[in-house]
Amino acid sequence: MLDLTYNSPKPKVIAGAKHDWELVIGLEVHAQVATKAKLFSGASTLFGSEPNSNVAFVDAGMPGMLPVINEACVAQAVRTGLGLKAQINLNSAFDRKNYFYPDLPQGYQISQLYHPIVGEGEVLVEMGNGMARLVRIERIHLEQDAGKSIHDMDPNMSFVDLNRTGVALMEIVSRPDIRGADEAAAFVLKLRQILRYLGTCDGNMQNGSMRADVNVSVCRPGDYERYQATQDFGELGTRCEIKNMNSTRFIQMAIDVEARRQIAILEDGGTITQETRLFDPDKNETRSMRSKEEAHDYRYFPDPDLLPLEIEQAWVDDIAATLPELPDAKKARFIAEFSLSDYDASVLTAEVANAAYFEQVANGRDGKLAANWVINELFGRLKKDDRDITDSPVTPDQLGKIVGLITKGDISGKIAKDLFEIVYTTGGDPEALVEERGMKQVTDTGAIETAVDAVIADNPDQVEKAKANPKLAGWFVGQVMKATGGKANPAVVNKLVVEKLGL
Amino acid sequence: MSDLTKLTISAARDALRKGDLTSVELTAACLTEIDAADALNAFVHKTPEIAMEQAKAADARQGADAPLLNGIPLGIKDLFCTKGVASQAGSRILEGFKPEYESTVTTQLFDAGAVMLGKLNMDEFAMGSSNETSTYGDAVNPWKVDDRALTPGGSSGGSASAVAADLCLGATGTDTGGSIRQPAAFTGITGIKPTYGRVSRWGIVAFASSLDQAGPMTKDVRDAAIMLQAMCGHDPKDSTSADLAVPDFEAALTGDIRGKTIGIPKEYHMEGIPAEIEKLWADGTAMLKDAGAKIVDITLPHTKYALPAYYVIAPAEASSNLARYDGVRFGHRAKLDAGDGITEMYEKTRAEGFGHEVQRRVMIGTYVLSAGFYDAYYNRARKVRTLIKQDFENVFAQGVDAILTPATPSAAFGLGDMTDADPVQMYLNDVFTVTVNLAGLPGIAVPAGLDRQGLPLGLQLIGRPWEEADLLNTAYSLERAAGFVAKPAKWW
């Protein structure tokens, strides 16, 4: 496999009133596992169903009901772990996290505190200009999602929707390796990209399929390097956890404002209290949810309704064998195979569907030209219509033929744009269209020469002026192109005009 | 007519198959007895319509090929969820709760043709050893001394009372620390707790998930074998249910135990155990020896830690299992005052809905799982549990086939006798039985004699895991040798 090499970016430095400060950030990303059924019940995970329509007895915490693990969820967690180059734990176990809330019918969430299914892995977060941060993953564990409490439908009543209750989540926990708000956002997007490649999470942040808790602390320059050397968290500042963020923009805003809050406290001689905070995007501030003292005591203990989860290496190997080419590898290959720029390769590999489309267009053709056409013409046109690559009216085969016609010299770039528009709106085979509509570029020197001669003969005044000012040759080229309906090869026209005018 | 209810399951089965009796007759006789036995407070939800319907259906399919329990009227402990029928686990907090689903055990019993007479009294959430924590009030033991009302034991007190008083032919029980075996011993009947994982827990209101097992409570060992047969089997809906074949338990009852090795654990000779219990145990040992078994003294060195470990693990699991009773979705919800929020709803609902013993255990369980105490209590208790399990494994590895112990440290005591006592006094009732739950082993209580007041006493046999067939056969041999035939005088 090809690997690209990167340099680590410098940490974000924030100038305080007294000192410089650096950011230290770790994320816990909750990703909804893409499966049809919930983690411990057969109820559907379909988003947007009628409230309380996707609820099994066990999801509702009915007396005597028992959880049974859904193998598909375990497979997806393993697949995710493999995609993050992580250690897969063949022995893991489920624990109960106990707390009371109306949208938690059992009174506990089944999670994996002590023995998670996935151990240490990594995510390479590219930051542009040859920079990338390697963020270590500490663990991934499987857990149940809670339901939804609705407090604004009635002045006196609260309502509960249990459709989401028991849906499988992967909690992906990073090490505190992220050093800036932009890196945090890029980490979430990169993780999302990998999960979408793997098909283990749809990554839909608006619907809550991906949410992040962001741990933020600040430290003085040099502290972090000492932490790295010793892995002693005492070298770092006290962190605060900003809960439940579902947009990368808000993540960045929250980190910035939280860092400034902490710096202000520290520079005033105060200390940071470890606590959970909520970000309010309207006021652009974080607010305390609960401090460590009033934090829940979750009374974790092994769930006695479930046996330890044992999986076999052979099963893991089978899953590994079906892993797709992942973004980093694909991007490296595109750069090597199609001579693409880093930027173009990034754009084309952002979504697996884009990359697949591009590869079909570029197959056996000029990769760079194909990339330009996919990125500039196709993506631009689709965006204008608010369409997705998956419902593009132009197939990769059609676009490939257009690119091929350009490379062969059969059509000019300008004609190609017209051809693309025809194919986009009315369809058809590009090669046949070029023939039918006489769009083929004229490269026959004799025919062009006749046209050049005619223009020169018809415009003796211009000929005189051109002889005095050779820049006017362009006017003749334009006239010839006009006379040939744009089909003449501009390079040939240019050459002949210069010759005939004796410039 | 009323003598019909005195039949054992096996005798009734044979009579039904031969056509000497119909299930409708038998069921009607039971329903009559039940209606006349309100003083025992055993049946707390009667289901005569369901019973008669099931009896008619059973009669329609009667014959040589009829299923195992075809037409046999049973009582069902209130802990089992029965579809459309009140299933309250003896608690106020489940007032009005009628499940939309049928537990696996009752489903299997009905598939085997059994008839449900109603739901049976029990200690609230199976927490208790005297059936005095029930929201329905005390169940009463049909055995009496003078005019004192006695406890039938607990938590399956209603089941024990109903079977001993011949209100039904058999009953389901559940056993988390002795809740089948202790009431069986207190009422002179047989009760077996199978190996953990043998019977599905799906649809049984959970007390302590790693200890709970359902089992039959019957008039004799043969009936226990027949009824257990119908209750057992792998259930994919219970992750802790074992995927093992179920042998023919009744066929195993040969009574031949020659060459078997029976262990007598020295640690069960506990201080303060009445001499007549020690004597009963010695008599039982002699009976098994006479039947050809080899008797060996064994040691189970961690026995003394079993009760403390049990009273950490069981409440810990219970505190979590009972969190779902919050007034939000089903059962009792407290009336709220203006301005009360969700916290007040939880607090008031649970304060009103749970009795004191349940509250005590929820608090103990919450405490032992708390940050800072988890290792000292819960984790240590788990380690003790492992050691207790190893004690038994060592003994079985030495060739012991079964272990004989007393079932209880006393005969049935008076209702109300323990009201003012330290709760630990009540917990001591489980001293011979909890080890079996902690180790996940099968255990059976068999009536073996009467004390000097004329109350029944039981002996317990503990078997190897998954070897219920062998255990039942040893119990069968003991039963035959003990020849216990006493019945309580009918006063209700």
Side-chain angles (χ1 to χ4, degrees):
Chain A
M1 196 181 74
L2 292 158
D3 271 324
L4 300 176
T5 51
Y6 295 93
N7 295 315
S8 294
K10 292 249 180 307
K12 165 89 174 166
V13 176
I14 301 172
K18 296 179 180 166
H19 316 285
D20 279 353
W21 297 87
E22 288 180 8
L23 276 167
V24 179
I25 300 160
L27 271 82
E28 294 165 23
V29 176
H30 300 259
Q32 182 178 325
V33 179
T35 48
K36 288 195 179 72
K38 296 181 180 182
L39 183 53
F40 295 111
S41 85
S44 165
T45 58
L46 196 67
F47 181 81
S49 305
E50 279 288 299
N52 295 312
S53 59
N54 298 337
V55 187
F57 290 127
V58 69
D59 303 324
M62 300 302 278
M65 294 297 94
L66 297 172
V68 176
I69 187 80
N70 176 353
E71 186 180 322
C73 296
V74 179
Q76 290 288 56
V78 168
R79 194 173 167 81
T80 302
L82 292 169
L84 301 183
K85 298 176 190 159
Q87 177 202 327
I88 305 301
N89 295 326
L90 299 181
N91 293 290
S92 65
F94 289 96
D95 305 295
R96 291 185 185 178
K97 177 182 182 178
N98 295 282
Y99 65 96
F100 283 92
Y101 208 68
D103 59 25
L104 187 75
Q106 296 175 124
Y108 54 85
Q109 176 195 37
I110 306 178
S111 182
Q112 295 189 299
L113 175 71
Y114 297 109
H115 304 287
I117 184 156
V118 178
E120 293 186 335
E122 61 185 41
V123 175
L124 186 71
V125 182
E126 288 152 66
M127 300 304 299
N129 299 323
M131 296 288 179
R133 178 76 66 199
L134 189 68
V135 177
R136 293 169 301 161
I137 298 298
E138 185 182 318
R139 56 186 281 161
I140 304 175
H141 64 255
L142 278 168
E143 63 183 26
Q144 296 177 298
D145 204 350
K148 194 165 78 176
S149 293
I150 303 152
H151 302 295
D152 54 3
M153 273 173 70
D154 183 284
N156 300 313
M157 310 262 273
S158 286
F159 295 87
V160 179
D161 178 4
L162 299 181
N163 280 349
R164 222 174 58 194
T165 305
V167 167
L169 298 178
M170 293 178 281
E171 182 170 326
I172 304 166
V173 182
S174 89
R175 297 266 184 206
D177 291 351
I178 299 166
R179 307 303 313 283
D182 54 345
E183 286 182 30
F187 170 77
V188 171
L189 291 175
K190 182 62 182 282
L191 197 55
R192 178 180 182 275
Q193 182 192 25
I194 295 171
L195 299 186
R196 283 175 59 82
Y197 264 64
L198 292 166
T200 57
C201 172
D202 69 19
N204 189 327
M205 298 186 77
Q206 273 170 343
N207 292 351
S209 296
M210 257 183 92
R211 315 189 286 271
D213 299 339
V214 186
N215 287 283
V216 181
S217 68
V218 294
C219 65
R220 300 285 304 280
D223 290 347
Y224 189 81
E225 287 68 25
R226 277 192 292 280
Y227 153 71
Q228 276 187 315
T230 60
Q231 291 296 307
D232 176 4
F233 286 106
E235 301 288 352
L236 302 178
T238 303
R239 68 193 158 86
C240 290
E241 182 179 17
I242 312 165
K243 278 276 184 201
N244 225 9
M245 311 286 294
N246 66 348
S247 119
T248 49
R249 192 166 69 89
F250 288 165
I251 287 173
Q252 295 196 63
M253 287 167 70
I255 291 170
D256 283 335
V257 71
E258 174 61 16
R260 280 200 296 275
R261 185 188 73 86
Q262 292 184 14
I263 291 167
I265 291 171
L266 293 168
E267 293 200 336
D268 258 9
T271 51
I272 305 300
T273 312
Q274 187 178 331
E275 60 183 358
T276 305
R277 300 181 71 84
L278 275 182
F279 176 62
D280 180 342
D282 295 327
K283 295 186 177 163
N284 193 28
E285 63 178 26
T286 64
R287 277 198 303 271
S288 179
M289 238 173 110
R290 49 177 183 256
S291 71
K292 198 180 172 187
E293 285 74 43
E294 38 184 301
H296 288 128
D297 180 348
Y298 290 118
R299 292 170 285 123
Y300 278 100
F301 76 107
D303 191 326
D305 283 333
L306 293 160
L307 299 173
L309 183 59
E310 290 173 14
I311 55 177
E312 285 171 13
Q313 186 59 48
W315 189 67
V316 175
D317 293 343
D318 286 348
I319 295 171
T322 67
L323 234 51
E325 184 183 34
L326 289 168
D328 291 343
K330 200 180 277 290
K331 181 179 161 184
R333 183 168 63 79
F334 278 14
I335 291 173
E337 203 171 308
F338 301 110
S339 312
L340 302 188
S341 69
D342 189 283
Y343 175 81
D344 283 357
S346 289
V347 172
L348 290 171
T349 55
E351 294 283 347
V352 73
N354 293 351
Y357 189 104
F358 163 74
E359 282 213 73
Q360 288 183 63
V361 175
N363 185 20
R365 304 192 177 96
D366 179 343
K368 271 185 103 143
L369 187 63
N372 284 340
W373 273 84
V374 171
I375 293 171
N376 299 322
E377 301 307 321
L378 179 70
F379 288 176
R381 190 70 178 81
L382 290 173
K383 197 173 177 189
K384 206 168 128 192
D385 285 358
D386 202 17
R387 291 180 105 136
D388 191 75
I389 188 89
T390 51
D391 63 352
S392 166
V394 181
T395 65
D397 181 54
Q398 288 171 319
L399 188 55
K401 282 182 174 169
I402 295 173
V403 171
L405 288 165
I406 300 169
T407 310
K408 251 178 27 190
D410 279 0
I411 55 173
S412 66
K414 186 174 170 303
I415 294 281
K417 285 182 188 184
D418 297 340
L419 179 61
F420 174 81
E421 189 58 29
I422 294 165
V423 174
Y424 186 95
T425 46
T426 60
D429 174 30
E431 287 168 358
L433 281 167
V434 165
E435 291 297 338
E436 283 162 25
R437 304 202 179 195
M439 296 169 92
K440 213 166 187 172
Q441 191 162 246
V442 180
T443 41
D444 171 4
T445 319
I448 295 173
E449 199 169 350
T450 312
V452 172
D453 288 344
V455 172
I456 289 174
D458 291 350
N459 297 285
D461 294 353
Q462 290 291 340
V463 173
E464 285 311 309
K465 285 182 190 167
K467 283 189 171 156
N469 178 9
K471 278 184 185 168
L472 279 177
W475 182 85
F476 287 91
V477 172
Q479 292 300 308
V480 174
M481 292 305 287
K482 206 169 162 186
T484 58
K487 286 176 289 178
N489 185 325
V492 178
V493 175
N494 202 47
K495 185 166 165 269
L496 282 172
V497 165
V498 171
E499 272 175 26
K500 297 266 176 189
L501 290 174
L503 298 174
Chain B
M1 181 80 177
S2 72
D3 277 358
L4 285 182
T5 69
K6 291 194 167 68
L7 289 172
T8 58
I9 290 173
S10 60
R13 173 193 61 188
D14 297 345
L16 286 164
R17 282 189 184 166
K18 271 194 274 178
D20 293 348
L21 176 67
T22 67
S23 178
V24 167
E25 289 171 307
L26 183 58
T27 301
C30 287
L31 291 170
T32 305
E33 288 296 308
I34 290 166
D35 278 338
D38 286 348
L40 296 175
N41 199 22
F43 277 88
V44 290
H45 299 287
K46 301 173 189 174
T47 56
E49 292 85 4
I50 293 173
M52 290 313 289
E53 205 176 298
Q54 288 175 329
K56 280 177 203 159
D59 284 336
R61 72 173 98 82
Q62 200 55 264
D65 298 334
L68 201 57
L69 291 170
N70 197 41
I72 303 294
L74 303 175
I76 304 297
K77 189 178 182 179
D78 199 34
L79 202 64
F80 292 79
C81 288
T82 43
K83 191 172 181 178
V85 176
S87 306
Q88 278 185 243
S91 180
R92 189 187 173 197
I93 210 155
L94 276 169
E95 215 164 54
F97 175 64
K98 290 181 178 175
E100 294 287 320
Y101 43 88
E102 188 73 48
S103 80
T104 297
V105 166
T106 45
T107 300
Q108 289 186 191
L109 288 172
F110 298 154
D111 287 350
V115 169
M116 176 171 75
L117 296 165
K119 303 298 282 288
L120 293 162
N121 206 345
M122 56 178 284
D123 278 299
E124 184 179 11
F125 284 104
M127 297 177 191
S129 303
S130 64
N131 211 121
E132 291 173 293
T133 70
S134 168
T135 189
Y136 308 114
D138 307 342
V140 182
N141 196 328
W143 294 82
K144 250 186 174 177
V145 175
D146 308 326
D147 249 357
R148 284 166 63 219
L150 302 180
T151 174
S155 68
S156 310
S159 303
S161 175
V163 174
D166 294 320
L167 308 184
C168 54
L169 273 63
T172 62
T174 63
D175 189 316
T176 304
S179 282
I180 286 176
R181 291 159 288 158
Q182 183 253 21
F186 276 12
T187 55
I189 65 166
T190 300
I192 180 169
K193 180 204 91 74
T195 313
Y196 183 81
R198 189 57 115 168
V199 174
S200 170
R201 293 183 298 113
W202 193 88
I204 302 174
V205 174
F207 161 15
S209 312
S210 73
L211 300 160
D212 297 344
Q213 267 294 287
M217 298 175 75
T218 53
K219 295 174 191 180
D220 65 16
V221 172
R222 180 173 299 278
D223 285 6
I226 296 167
M227 197 170 153
L228 182 63
Q229 187 85 42
M231 294 170 75
C232 284
H234 178 236
D235 180 5
K237 291 189 285 189
D238 173 0
S239 307
T240 62
S241 159
D243 193 358
L244 289 174
V246 181
D248 185 337
F249 296 132
E250 192 183 4
L253 304 182
T254 62
D256 183 359
I257 59 163
R258 283 173 298 174
K260 295 281 177 190
T261 303
I262 306 296
I264 308 297
K266 66 172 186 187
E267 290 79 7
Y268 284 57
H269 291 285
M270 290 179 191
E271 209 179 312
I273 301 298
E276 50 190 346
I277 299 253
E278 287 282 356
K279 181 176 182 302
L280 180 86
W281 189 10
D283 291 349
T285 307
M287 290 175 209
L288 292 173
K289 192 176 178 188
D290 287 349
K294 183 181 157 199
I295 307 297
V296 294
D297 288 326
I298 59 167
T299 174
L300 299 167
H302 297 92
T303 300
K304 65 180 167 196
Y305 304 114
L307 206 58
Y310 173 84
Y311 276 96
V312 169
I313 290 169
E317 293 182 14
S319 71
S320 176
N321 281 335
L322 269 57
R324 67 189 58 201
Y325 306 105
D326 56 7
V328 174
R329 298 169 313 288
F330 46 76
H332 179 74
R333 181 191 289 181
K335 279 210 164 54
L336 300 182
D337 294 327
D340 280 354
I342 186 69
T343 306
E344 289 77 14
M345 185 174 112
Y346 289 149
E347 288 174 356
K348 290 182 180 181
T349 296
R350 289 166 67 84
E352 290 174 8
F354 290 144
H356 286 146
E357 184 58 30
V358 170
Q359 291 181 10
R360 175 167 22 246
R361 297 201 198 186
V362 167
M363 284 190 279
I364 292 171
T366 304
Y367 179 81
V368 299
L369 290 176
S370 307
F373 299 104
Y374 181 85
D375 283 327
Y377 292 102
Y378 186 75
N379 250 350
R380 183 165 296 188
R382 289 181 81 199
K383 286 175 192 158
V384 169
R385 184 176 188 172
T386 304
L387 292 171
I388 288 168
K389 212 174 165 188
Q390 283 169 0
D391 282 354
F392 283 105
E393 284 165 1
N394 292 339
V395 165
F396 291 135
Q398 289 157 22
V400 168
D401 295 297
I403 297 161
L404 183 72
T405 78
T408 58
S410 73
F413 49 89
L415 286 163
D417 281 5
M418 306 279 258
T419 309
D420 299 321
D422 184 326
V424 173
Q425 287 303 311
M426 187 69 96
Y427 298 166
L428 286 171
N429 265 287
D430 302 331
V431 70
F432 297 128
T433 48
V434 282
T435 50
V436 174
N437 299 81
L438 289 169
L441 301 172
I444 186 168
V446 179
L450 296 173
D451 75 351
R452 61 192 149 72
Q453 308 171 90
L455 292 177
L457 293 172
L459 287 173
Q460 171 179 240
L461 281 161
I462 302 167
R464 296 164 174 265
W466 314 116
E467 295 193 4
E468 288 87 354
D470 194 51
L471 179 66
L472 283 159
N473 186 42
T474 307
Y476 182 59
S477 169
L478 181 65
E479 173 185 69
R480 288 208 302 199
F484 184 91
V485 289
K487 283 275 190 180
K490 190 167 173 179
W491 54 264
W492 56 93

